[in-house]
């Protein structure tokens, strides 16, 4: 990468090498040291979100970073990820190689699990140790994020706790997920984007991307996302983000200073 820490390095014996998970809008330097000649090239990836993360055994994994918010600040990459479950009823759904990549390369410190109580029984029985390993703090938050039109009430307690975690830089990088990484995960992603100041179009689009990726039947999505977003119409604001932020202040008790703490962690400064 453009920074001092290598993004990728390997011994290449074939005629080509396949690399994955580049950041969006980032400059990279590629150096090939051959037997007889060295060659260096530079390139920059497109600055278009989302940054999709390729993980063996896990679909629909995305970096929450990369999008430019309405105030012109881009969401930092490598801090927050969304995906699906890592285990099911005590059976790992990802390989050891993928687990190590998540922990060692992505650097995940906190695993926020949105599944219902029955789905996490095996983890609880194991002392609450994250399927990603003991170095990752496992947080279980279940407050019926499926109830889209009433998520501002049924999900209030979980939302309040999750965003308090987001106020602490020591909890990053973090990952949040439900089972398929679609519905409950999409609800939390909508709230995150609202607090950070995403445009209406970006908030709608991020929810739809899950369906485009084939993670779930897309026919139900227009109704569900519409129900979720319009549930915040009872709050004042010209945009979805404004109304979600009003909800955080009026219902959850967050101050503007609280929300700014999250923004200062998650958003790049204006250049």
């Amino acid at each position: 990468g453009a920074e001092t820490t290598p993004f990728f390095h390997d011994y290449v014996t074939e005629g080509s090498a396949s690399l994955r998970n580049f950041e969006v809008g980032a400059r990279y330097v590629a150096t090939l040291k051959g037997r007889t000649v060295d060659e260096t090239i530079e390139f920059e990836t497109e600055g278009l979100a989302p940054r999709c993360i390729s993980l063996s055994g896990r679909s629909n994994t995305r970096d929450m970073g990369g999008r430019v918010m309405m105030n012109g600040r881009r969401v930092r990459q490598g801090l927050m990820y969304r995906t699906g479950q890592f285990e099911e009823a005590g059976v790992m759904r990802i390989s050891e190689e993928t687990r190590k990549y998540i922990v060692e390369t992505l650097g995940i410190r906190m695993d926020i699990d949105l599944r219902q109580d029955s789905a996490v029984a095996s983890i609880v029985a194991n002392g609450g140790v994250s399927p990603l390993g003991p170095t990752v703090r496992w947080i279980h938050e279940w407050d019926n994020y499926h109830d889209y039109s009433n998520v501002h009430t049924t999900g209030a307690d979980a939302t309040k706790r999750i965003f308090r975690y987001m106020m602490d830089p020591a909890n990053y990088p973090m990952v949040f997920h439900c089972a398929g990484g679609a519905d409950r995960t999409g609800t939390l992603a909508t709230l995150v984007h609202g607090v950070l100041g995403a445009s209406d179009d970006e908030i709608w689009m991020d929810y739809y991307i899950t369906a485009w990726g084939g993670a779930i039947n897309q026919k139900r999505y227009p109704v569900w996302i519409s129900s979720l977003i319009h549930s915040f119409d009872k709050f004042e604001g010209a945009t979805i983000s404004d109304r979600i932020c009003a909800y955080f202040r009026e219902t959850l008790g967050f101050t503007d200073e609280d929300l700014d703490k999250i923004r200062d962690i998650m958003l790049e400064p204006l250049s």
Side-chain angles (χ1 to χ4, degrees), residues 22 43 49 61 87 89 143 147 168 184 207 221 226 235 237 264 268:
F22 290 111
F43 63 93
T61 301
E87 64 84 49
D143 244 347
D147 190 3
D168 187 351
R184 289 159 287 184
Y207 206 97
Y221 263 62
S226 181
F235 298 95
D264 287 341
E268 298 175 357

mmCIF file of all heavy atoms in Angstrom, residues 22 43 49 61 87 89 143 147 168 184 207 221 226 235 237 264 268:
data_model
loop_
_atom_site.group_PDB
_atom_site.id
_atom_site.type_symbol
_atom_site.label_atom_id
_atom_site.label_comp_id
_atom_site.label_asym_id
_atom_site.label_seq_id
_atom_site.Cartn_x
_atom_site.Cartn_y
_atom_site.Cartn_z
ATOM 1 N N PHE A 22 -8.989 -4.393 -1.611
ATOM 2 C CA PHE A 22 -8.430 -3.050 -1.640
ATOM 3 C C PHE A 22 -9.407 -2.051 -1.031
ATOM 4 O O PHE A 22 -10.627 -2.207 -1.138
ATOM 5 C CB PHE A 22 -8.148 -2.618 -3.088
ATOM 6 C CG PHE A 22 -7.013 -3.337 -3.741
ATOM 7 C CD1 PHE A 22 -7.248 -4.225 -4.783
ATOM 8 C CD2 PHE A 22 -5.715 -3.126 -3.335
ATOM 9 C CE1 PHE A 22 -6.204 -4.880 -5.403
ATOM 10 C CE2 PHE A 22 -4.664 -3.780 -3.950
ATOM 11 C CZ PHE A 22 -4.902 -4.660 -4.990
ATOM 12 N N PHE A 43 -1.065 2.798 -8.697
ATOM 13 C CA PHE A 43 -2.439 2.897 -9.185
ATOM 14 C C PHE A 43 -3.339 3.361 -8.051
ATOM 15 O O PHE A 43 -2.970 3.269 -6.866
ATOM 16 C CB PHE A 43 -2.934 1.566 -9.757
ATOM 17 C CG PHE A 43 -2.995 0.440 -8.749
ATOM 18 C CD1 PHE A 43 -4.163 0.170 -8.048
ATOM 19 C CD2 PHE A 43 -1.882 -0.372 -8.520
ATOM 20 C CE1 PHE A 43 -4.228 -0.862 -7.141
ATOM 21 C CE2 PHE A 43 -1.944 -1.416 -7.599
ATOM 22 C CZ PHE A 43 -3.112 -1.665 -6.913
ATOM 23 N N ALA A 49 -18.032 3.603 -2.980
ATOM 24 C CA ALA A 49 -18.454 2.611 -1.993
ATOM 25 C C ALA A 49 -19.564 1.741 -2.601
ATOM 26 O O ALA A 49 -20.206 2.139 -3.558
ATOM 27 C CB ALA A 49 -18.960 3.328 -0.749
ATOM 28 N N THR A 61 -20.082 -9.478 3.042
ATOM 29 C CA THR A 61 -19.253 -8.769 4.017
ATOM 30 C C THR A 61 -18.811 -7.448 3.404
ATOM 31 O O THR A 61 -18.266 -7.423 2.299
ATOM 32 C CB THR A 61 -18.022 -9.599 4.409
ATOM 33 O OG1 THR A 61 -18.451 -10.845 4.963
ATOM 34 C CG2 THR A 61 -17.166 -8.859 5.421
ATOM 35 N N GLU A 87 -20.651 -18.590 13.221
ATOM 36 C CA GLU A 87 -20.944 -19.957 13.667
ATOM 37 C C GLU A 87 -22.446 -20.115 13.761
ATOM 38 O O GLU A 87 -23.200 -19.153 13.839
ATOM 39 C CB GLU A 87 -20.277 -20.253 15.010
ATOM 40 C CG GLU A 87 -20.777 -19.407 16.179
ATOM 41 C CD GLU A 87 -22.043 -19.954 16.828
ATOM 42 O OE1 GLU A 87 -22.081 -21.148 17.127
ATOM 43 O OE2 GLU A 87 -22.997 -19.166 17.037
ATOM 44 N N ALA A 89 -25.102 -22.760 15.881
ATOM 45 C CA ALA A 89 -25.316 -23.869 16.825
ATOM 46 C C ALA A 89 -23.997 -24.550 17.189
ATOM 47 O O ALA A 89 -23.918 -25.773 17.310
ATOM 48 C CB ALA A 89 -26.301 -24.880 16.254
ATOM 49 N N ASP A 143 -32.702 -6.984 20.412
ATOM 50 C CA ASP A 143 -33.864 -6.198 20.817
ATOM 51 C C ASP A 143 -34.872 -6.125 19.676
ATOM 52 O O ASP A 143 -35.480 -5.091 19.437
ATOM 53 C CB ASP A 143 -33.435 -4.792 21.232
ATOM 54 C CG ASP A 143 -33.721 -4.538 22.713
ATOM 55 O OD1 ASP A 143 -34.445 -5.338 23.301
ATOM 56 O OD2 ASP A 143 -33.213 -3.548 23.255
ATOM 57 N N ASP A 147 -38.503 -5.862 13.857
ATOM 58 C CA ASP A 147 -39.763 -5.122 13.907
ATOM 59 C C ASP A 147 -39.533 -3.734 13.311
ATOM 60 O O ASP A 147 -39.456 -2.732 14.014
ATOM 61 C CB ASP A 147 -40.243 -5.024 15.356
ATOM 62 C CG ASP A 147 -41.653 -4.476 15.478
ATOM 63 O OD1 ASP A 147 -42.274 -4.219 14.423
ATOM 64 O OD2 ASP A 147 -42.113 -4.284 16.612
ATOM 65 N N ASP A 168 -16.230 4.804 21.995
ATOM 66 C CA ASP A 168 -14.920 4.466 22.568
ATOM 67 C C ASP A 168 -13.975 3.989 21.469
ATOM 68 O O ASP A 168 -14.177 2.914 20.901
ATOM 69 C CB ASP A 168 -15.084 3.377 23.625
ATOM 70 C CG ASP A 168 -13.795 3.087 24.377
ATOM 71 O OD1 ASP A 168 -12.728 3.599 23.977
ATOM 72 O OD2 ASP A 168 -13.858 2.332 25.369
ATOM 73 N N ARG A 184 -31.445 -7.543 10.290
ATOM 74 C CA ARG A 184 -31.047 -6.850 11.504
ATOM 75 C C ARG A 184 -29.750 -6.081 11.282
ATOM 76 O O ARG A 184 -29.590 -4.947 11.755
ATOM 77 C CB ARG A 184 -30.889 -7.863 12.645
ATOM 78 C CG ARG A 184 -32.200 -8.433 13.143
ATOM 79 C CD ARG A 184 -32.033 -9.755 13.880
ATOM 80 N NE ARG A 184 -31.730 -10.849 12.971
ATOM 81 C CZ ARG A 184 -31.616 -12.115 13.341
ATOM 82 N NH1 ARG A 184 -31.780 -12.442 14.622
ATOM 83 N NH2 ARG A 184 -31.359 -13.066 12.468
ATOM 84 N N TYR A 207 -28.949 -0.443 1.799
ATOM 85 C CA TYR A 207 -29.839 -1.536 2.187
ATOM 86 C C TYR A 207 -30.107 -2.468 1.007
ATOM 87 O O TYR A 207 -30.142 -3.696 1.155
ATOM 88 C CB TYR A 207 -31.153 -0.960 2.720
ATOM 89 C CG TYR A 207 -31.875 -1.873 3.692
ATOM 90 C CD1 TYR A 207 -31.741 -1.702 5.059
ATOM 91 C CD2 TYR A 207 -32.686 -2.904 3.235
ATOM 92 C CE1 TYR A 207 -32.403 -2.534 5.954
ATOM 93 C CE2 TYR A 207 -33.354 -3.734 4.122
ATOM 94 C CZ TYR A 207 -33.211 -3.544 5.478
ATOM 95 O OH TYR A 207 -33.858 -4.373 6.355
ATOM 96 N N TYR A 221 -37.523 -6.630 -0.033
ATOM 97 C CA TYR A 221 -36.748 -5.502 0.449
ATOM 98 C C TYR A 221 -37.435 -4.145 0.333
ATOM 99 O O TYR A 221 -37.363 -3.353 1.274
ATOM 100 C CB TYR A 221 -35.377 -5.478 -0.236
ATOM 101 C CG TYR A 221 -34.341 -6.114 0.635
ATOM 102 C CD1 TYR A 221 -34.470 -7.453 0.993
ATOM 103 C CD2 TYR A 221 -33.279 -5.394 1.153
ATOM 104 C CE1 TYR A 221 -33.560 -8.060 1.827
ATOM 105 C CE2 TYR A 221 -32.360 -5.996 1.993
ATOM 106 C CZ TYR A 221 -32.501 -7.327 2.334
ATOM 107 O OH TYR A 221 -31.612 -7.908 3.174
ATOM 108 N N SER A 226 -38.630 0.414 3.364
ATOM 109 C CA SER A 226 -39.558 1.539 3.425
ATOM 110 C C SER A 226 -40.187 1.639 4.813
ATOM 111 O O SER A 226 -40.306 2.735 5.381
ATOM 112 C CB SER A 226 -40.642 1.382 2.360
ATOM 113 O OG SER A 226 -41.534 2.468 2.398
ATOM 114 N N PHE A 235 -40.196 12.077 13.570
ATOM 115 C CA PHE A 235 -39.202 13.007 14.093
ATOM 116 C C PHE A 235 -38.957 14.114 13.076
ATOM 117 O O PHE A 235 -39.079 13.911 11.871
ATOM 118 C CB PHE A 235 -37.897 12.273 14.413
ATOM 119 C CG PHE A 235 -38.058 11.216 15.466
ATOM 120 C CD1 PHE A 235 -38.282 9.890 15.111
ATOM 121 C CD2 PHE A 235 -38.004 11.542 16.804
ATOM 122 C CE1 PHE A 235 -38.449 8.911 16.075
ATOM 123 C CE2 PHE A 235 -38.168 10.572 17.792
ATOM 124 C CZ PHE A 235 -38.393 9.256 17.424
ATOM 125 N N GLY A 237 -37.041 16.784 10.692
ATOM 126 C CA GLY A 237 -35.804 16.794 9.915
ATOM 127 C C GLY A 237 -36.082 16.740 8.438
ATOM 128 O O GLY A 237 -37.053 16.098 7.993
ATOM 129 N N ASP A 264 -16.239 11.887 14.830
ATOM 130 C CA ASP A 264 -14.806 12.174 14.789
ATOM 131 C C ASP A 264 -13.970 10.903 14.710
ATOM 132 O O ASP A 264 -12.872 10.911 14.151
ATOM 133 C CB ASP A 264 -14.401 12.996 16.019
ATOM 134 C CG ASP A 264 -14.880 14.433 15.965
ATOM 135 O OD1 ASP A 264 -15.208 14.897 14.840
ATOM 136 O OD2 ASP A 264 -14.939 15.099 17.004
ATOM 137 N N GLU A 268 -13.236 10.795 8.192
ATOM 138 C CA GLU A 268 -11.979 11.468 7.890
ATOM 139 C C GLU A 268 -12.191 12.978 7.971
ATOM 140 O O GLU A 268 -13.286 13.479 7.697
ATOM 141 C CB GLU A 268 -11.494 11.101 6.477
ATOM 142 C CG GLU A 268 -11.194 9.630 6.292
ATOM 143 C CD GLU A 268 -10.833 9.304 4.846
ATOM 144 O OE1 GLU A 268 -10.880 10.238 4.006
ATOM 145 O OE2 GLU A 268 -10.505 8.137 4.568
#
